[in-house]
Amino acid sequence: MKKLFLVLVLASNLLIAQRNVSIIPQPVSLQINQGAFVIDNSTAVKFNTADKELKLAVNFFSAAIRNISGKTLLLNDVAKNNIVFKIAKTNGIGDEGYTMNVSPSSITIVANTKAGVIYGIQSLLQTLPAIRTNEVLQVPCMSITDFPRFKYRGMHLDVSRHFFSPEFVKEYINLLASYKMNTFHWHLVDDQGWRIEIKKYPLLTSVGAWRVDQTDKVWASRPQAKTGEAATYGGYYTQEQIKDIIKYAAERNVTIIPEIEMPGHVASAIASYPALSCTQQQQLPLTGGNYSGMSSNYCAGNDSVFTFLENVLTEVIALFPSKYIHIGGDEVEKGPWKVCPKCQTRIKSSHLENEDGLQSYFIKRIEKFINSKNRKIIGWDEILEGGLAPEATVMSWRGEAGGIEAAKAHHDVIMTPGSPVYFDHYQAGPEGEPLAIGGMNTLKKVYDYEPIPKELNAAEAKYVLGAQANLWAEYITTAEQVEYMVLPRMLALAEVVWSPKENKNWENFNERLKNHFKAFGQRGLHYSLGNFTVSIKPSSQNGRLFVDLSTEILNAAIYYTTDGTEPTLSSNIYAIPIEINASLLLKASTILNGQIMGVKAARQNFVMHKAIGKNVTYTNPLSRYYQADGPNSLTDGVRGTAAVGKYWHGFNGDDLIAIIDMGEEKNIQNIAIGCLQNYNDWIFLPQSVKFETSNDGNVFTEIKTVNNPIDINTKSVMFDFKTDFPILSVRYIRVTAKNNLCPPDHNGAGKPAWIFADEIVVE
Ligand code: ACM
Ligand code: ZN
């Protein structure tokens, strides 16, 4: 009897231990042992006081313990039990790794550097309560060896589109640090606000940091400011505040990389100093996404622009100790350079090929200056256009292609692809979620991200320094919303960039996440409970259309309806793929523990026609980024919407040539293909669409070629190219959509466009 009791006690101790060890990111190796170390008033911290760096780490730890318990730890005193911090040469854990051993009488954290000690402390803190408590502070006995997979682990924040207070910036940095993210990319400059005090150019902040307040309107629909309207929205960080934030970050091993955007996205600088633009015309600070008639580029032909930038960068470099200065470089609208005499003179005198060459000239000239100050540049992947600056590190955001190209050219790369690490995109819904810029990056999608692309060999892969999530703030107006967009996706990213690939485990991550949700709640942080949106995925099998339903939520069920009503607890339970053989509206909800989860059911309309479920083959390859629901998405009965990329098959620069095999000869009398134009995203309707039929799959007869009737400068439109004809009996249909070029005033003027198509409808 007694023995059994002992076993039960041990088992329950172990249970406590396991419950409390939910470290994110998952350590390289973690062994949990029996028993616990108790932190109380007779616990001492031991460390070498001569080591100033170590002293900072100890201060950080002592303050954290005081915060959660009110206890003040003894320092280097005789004590009942000890927490020992040591910087000592330790093989195999690198600059940021640590080992931690917890026994009932001691906790020992050893690392090669202060950074490693800090990360040991972060792991330790994750085993303790998150807020002030009278609970006994028990640390389960365990031993950990831990170090990061990638040396660059970044989070970005756009403080231009919305201004976030210095206090919130610190909270954000603290949150990063808790999950061992080591870089804060501070996007301080953009069109809608200049946010860093520059002593030599006071108008940058007295003018460029303030705009007419239209926070009540959606970004894209804000009217431009009128003369006389008060500019009351904004703010900036003084150099003193910035120094304080840098110090706060350094205490947590977070490096701040400032982004001083150029040569585009600088309407705020131009509002402050109009002579910086090509037109040199006065303009008011932008209120949102309406750029019409506004300049947003520096003039690349004007030497005084470079003098200005060198002066700005000199102050920036004096403030920020970071090795890297981010110089932006993205989305330069090159039209104004084409019509600017100074820019054109520069192209000629410097023997540049065109405006891409001018962009490259601009970045290289700035790089030379930054290198002369012993710093290095990072730029968005557009800096590849026209030739990469010699020492530049590339941030790959338009997918991974730029990163792959740069790594193959032996340049360092940071992966920040829109899918899946733009955290301004939806994480669930979109029904029931706060309005977001578009896209869908769920927690699982982030968790499954692999920063090393398959295209790179082992030597090239070494140039991938790590990954970063970006948080643009056009649609994010409050600190609470920042928290909501970042939590818990940042935790998934932390595990991507820190933990060994083989230690990643989605189920286990979800299990550990529960403790973190509890901590967020206790700390009053806003976070997303998860993506309860059912994924509705059509799939064709032998000419028939089925729908697979799935949920990211573990141990959940899916209930669905096909009559347009909302699912209830008495609706059909999903078990096997559902065959679709009539037009219908499918709705589906996630059910967890007997409750319908999420605000709204996922929904999808299916439109039946004669080619539904039929096989489609393409002559030119489909872009790997726009595959919709897979190979037969053009015959799945699902029509696209202009705002959401996931419905469309995309072809980058190629014609879309699709052959549909109807399986047997069928009587048909019309064919249509749905296409999308989104001017700003380089997606244009095809120049023309040719419809052909065949009965042997070799010899095709043209029915009709339909030319594009829509104005090429139309911003956004969905259009069906179609043809009607007297009834024909055919087995094969070939549709050829001819790729367009970006029009003359477009950012990509003369370059091949994208074709996006959602469905080939055959009746
Ligand atoms: C970007 O998202 N424009 C870098
Ligand atoms: Zn110019």
Side-chain angles (χ1 to χ4, degrees):
M1 184 68 197
K2 222 166 183 177
K3 220 168 170 182
L4 181 65
F5 178 71
L6 188 70
V7 169
L8 280 176
V9 169
L10 283 178
S12 71
N13 265 351
L14 197 60
L15 216 63
I16 289 172
Q18 278 168 343
R19 192 177 64 223
N20 288 343
V21 181
S22 301
I23 298 169
I24 293 178
Q26 179 71 44
V28 173
S29 96
L30 163 68
Q31 150 112 37
I32 299 171
N33 304 318
Q34 282 178 14
F37 178 100
V38 175
I39 300 177
D40 59 24
N41 287 329
S42 47
T43 300
V45 175
K46 299 227 158 151
F47 70 105
N48 174 6
T49 45
D51 189 327
K52 292 218 165 49
E53 287 282 287
L54 198 51
K55 192 160 177 13
L56 288 174
V58 169
N59 287 348
F60 173 73
F61 178 66
S62 300
I65 295 298
R66 208 174 309 117
N67 261 336
I68 58 176
S69 68
K71 294 184 209 313
T72 301
L73 297 170
L74 304 168
L75 291 185
N76 286 321
D77 218 332
V78 179
K80 181 186 78 168
N81 57 13
N82 296 308
I83 304 176
V84 183
F85 296 115
K86 232 190 276 183
I87 293 182
K89 176 93 186 99
T90 311
N91 289 331
I93 59 169
D95 282 350
E96 294 183 296
Y98 65 94
T99 63
M100 174 157 71
N101 278 291
V102 182
S103 74
S105 60
S106 69
I107 297 178
T108 309
I109 293 178
V110 184
N112 285 309
T113 65
K114 182 196 89 175
V117 174
I118 289 275
Y119 291 139
I121 290 171
Q122 296 290 11
S123 291
L124 180 54
L125 291 176
Q126 285 191 15
T127 67
L128 295 171
I131 47 158
R132 182 72 177 251
T133 175
N134 291 328
E135 253 177 71
V136 176
L137 300 185
Q138 290 199 79
V139 182
C141 290
M142 58 186 156
S143 61
I144 295 181
T145 301
D146 202 11
F147 51 87
R149 180 175 170 208
F150 290 102
K151 66 178 171 195
Y152 187 105
R153 305 180 300 279
M155 289 291 294
H156 153 286
L157 182 65
D158 168 12
V159 296
S160 172
R161 275 54 177 275
H162 280 93
F163 179 69
F164 299 99
S165 68
E167 294 70 35
F168 179 71
V169 172
K170 284 187 180 173
E171 182 199 313
Y172 191 72
I173 290 168
N174 192 41
L175 211 45
L176 263 68
S178 317
Y179 292 97
K180 305 189 176 82
M181 303 300 280
N182 65 359
T183 309
F184 171 47
H185 172 172
W186 203 359
H187 186 75
L188 287 160
V189 171
D190 214 306
D191 294 312
Q192 293 82 5
W194 182 287
R195 305 287 178 218
I196 171 173
E197 177 189 29
I198 301 294
K199 307 256 189 210
K200 203 174 176 84
Y201 300 108
L203 299 185
L204 286 172
T205 41
S206 65
V207 173
W210 300 95
R211 64 183 189 235
V212 174
D213 189 354
Q214 297 179 354
T215 317
D216 59 330
K217 298 183 191 68
V218 175
W219 188 255
S221 66
R222 294 180 182 179
Q224 288 182 348
K226 292 181 208 53
T227 312
E229 282 183 305
T232 55
Y233 181 90
Y236 64 92
Y237 308 96
T238 65
Q239 294 199 356
E240 283 312 305
Q241 287 171 330
I242 288 171
K243 283 181 203 159
D244 180 51
I245 291 170
I246 292 169
K247 180 167 164 282
Y248 179 91
E251 284 164 10
R252 288 156 178 76
N253 194 46
V254 173
T255 299
I256 303 182
I257 298 181
E259 182 179 351
I260 306 300
E261 173 87 80
M262 65 185 79
H265 279 290
V266 291
S268 57
I270 294 165
S272 314
Y273 296 98
L276 296 169
S277 78
C278 289
T279 64
Q280 307 208 338
Q281 275 163 15
Q282 289 276 353
Q283 64 186 39
L284 293 170
L286 296 186
T287 57
N290 184 346
Y291 284 77
S292 88
M294 295 287 179
S295 293
S296 55
N297 292 351
Y298 291 128
C299 177
N302 183 348
D303 281 329
S304 64
V305 165
F306 291 92
T307 308
F308 163 83
L309 283 171
E310 288 178 7
N311 289 334
V312 167
L313 288 168
T314 299
E315 291 192 32
V316 169
I317 287 167
L319 272 175
F320 289 90
S322 157
K323 172 170 87 171
Y324 295 109
I325 305 293
H326 199 305
I327 49 73
D330 60 320
E331 298 183 313
V332 181
E333 187 72 56
K334 298 185 182 112
W337 287 353
K338 288 190 184 147
V339 293
C340 168
K342 287 201 192 82
C343 285
Q344 291 304 311
T345 302
R346 172 89 70 205
I347 288 176
K348 284 197 196 75
S349 64
S350 296
H351 311 291
L352 308 172
E353 203 167 309
N354 51 25
E355 288 72 24
D356 281 352
L358 189 56
Q359 151 115 343
S360 172
Y361 166 91
F362 198 112
I363 302 293
K364 284 176 181 160
R365 183 161 166 179
I366 292 295
E367 176 181 63
K368 210 162 162 195
F369 177 76
I370 288 179
N371 288 166
S372 79
K373 304 274 183 187
N374 284 321
R375 306 297 178 94
K376 295 185 67 167
I377 65 161
I378 300 179
W380 299 111
D381 57 50
E382 287 92 331
I383 66 169
L384 283 153
E385 292 163 10
L388 199 48
E391 306 275 323
T393 296
V394 172
M395 224 173 230
S396 190
W397 72 279
R398 297 174 302 173
E400 292 183 323
I404 292 166
E405 185 184 336
K408 283 184 183 292
H410 298 178
H411 280 257
D412 286 342
V413 166
I414 296 151
M415 286 297 185
T416 71
S419 167
V421 288
Y422 266 38
F423 286 1
D424 52 338
H425 292 191
Y426 286 102
Q427 55 197 317
E431 295 86 3
E433 288 292 305
L435 183 68
I437 201 159
M440 176 68 75
N441 290 330
T442 66
L443 181 65
K444 182 153 197 311
K445 209 166 139 188
V446 178
Y447 193 79
D448 288 341
Y449 181 53
E450 168 49 45
I452 306 283
K454 289 189 292 293
E455 290 84 345
L456 299 182
N457 64 32
E460 292 159 349
K462 294 214 162 51
Y463 291 96
V464 178
L465 304 182
Q468 169 176 297
N470 293 337
L471 198 70
W472 302 99
E474 290 94 334
Y475 288 75
I476 298 177
T477 54
T478 64
E480 290 74 20
Q481 207 181 341
V482 171
E483 294 166 3
Y484 181 84
M485 298 309 271
V486 160
L487 301 176
R489 287 186 287 190
M490 182 181 73
L491 282 63
L493 178 64
E495 202 141 310
V496 167
V497 288
W498 178 283
S499 305
K501 210 169 147 180
E502 55 280 9
N503 279 15
K504 280 176 64 191
N505 179 310
W506 170 244
E507 282 76 19
N508 185 271
F509 173 73
N510 274 271
E511 211 35 60
R512 280 176 285 131
L513 202 50
K514 288 178 187 162
N515 258 1
H516 295 261
F517 279 176
K518 191 168 145 208
F520 297 156
Q522 289 173 337
R523 290 163 68 183
L525 293 167
H526 297 73
Y527 62 100
S528 166
L529 266 176
N531 173 31
F532 296 104
T533 315
V534 173
S535 158
I536 302 177
K537 195 169 165 16
S539 72
S540 304
Q541 286 166 30
N542 305 324
R544 290 155 67 190
L545 181 65
F546 293 84
V547 179
D548 298 325
L549 304 183
S550 60
T551 172
E552 290 185 2
I553 305 297
L554 300 171
N555 307 317
I558 296 170
Y559 288 29
Y560 72 95
T561 63
T562 53
D563 60 2
T565 60
E566 290 299 306
T568 66
L569 293 175
S570 46
S571 300
N572 295 319
I573 302 179
Y574 176 75
I576 54 166
I578 307 159
E579 181 161 13
I580 304 286
N581 35 35
S583 292
L584 56 84
L585 174 58
L586 177 76
K587 289 190 176 178
S589 289
T590 299
I591 311 292
L592 189 62
N593 303 325
Q595 272 193 302
I596 295 187
M597 307 300 288
V599 181
K600 292 222 172 125
R603 49 184 295 153
Q604 183 61 60
N605 245 316
F606 290 91
V607 182
M608 286 309 284
H609 56 82
K610 286 190 171 159
I612 284 285
K614 301 297 180 262
N615 226 30
V616 181
T617 50
Y618 286 127
T619 305
N620 294 322
L622 181 63
S623 158
R624 59 184 274 222
Y625 299 111
Y626 296 98
Q627 306 242 342
D629 290 314
N632 288 345
S633 182
L634 288 193
T635 53
D636 64 0
V638 174
R639 301 307 310 263
T641 67
V644 182
K646 74 170 184 176
Y647 303 108
W648 301 90
H649 268 185
F651 291 81
N652 186 5
D654 286 324
D655 295 342
L656 174 161
I657 306 172
I659 297 175
I660 301 177
D661 180 354
M662 302 292 284
E664 59 189 343
E665 288 193 12
K666 289 257 164 80
N667 286 338
I668 64 168
Q669 56 188 331
N670 60 59
I671 312 171
I673 179 169
C675 295
L676 174 72
Q677 174 150 321
N678 260 350
Y679 185 97
N680 288 342
D681 298 331
W682 297 41
I683 303 164
F684 287 90
L685 294 178
Q687 298 176 39
S688 64
V689 175
K690 180 159 75 176
F691 297 99
E692 298 166 294
T693 59
S694 165
N695 282 334
D696 63 4
N698 289 318
V699 181
F700 281 85
T701 310
E702 178 172 342
I703 298 179
K704 191 174 179 183
T705 294
V706 181
N707 289 321
N708 176 12
I710 306 283
D711 177 0
I712 187 121
N713 292 309
T714 306
K715 288 287 177 216
S716 181
V717 65
M718 291 190 294
F719 182 73
D720 283 355
F721 291 79
K722 57 179 141 199
T723 176
D724 298 317
F725 43 87
I727 291 179
L728 284 175
S729 175
V730 301
R731 166 137 186 207
Y732 299 94
I733 296 168
R734 183 160 69 190
V735 178
T736 303
K738 202 134 194 57
N739 199 289
N740 233 323
L741 298 177
C742 299
D745 289 333
H746 189 267
N747 210 344
K751 292 192 178 147
W754 285 81
I755 290 185
F756 268 41
D758 65 340
E759 190 78 1
I760 295 179
V761 179
V762 179
E763 305 281 12

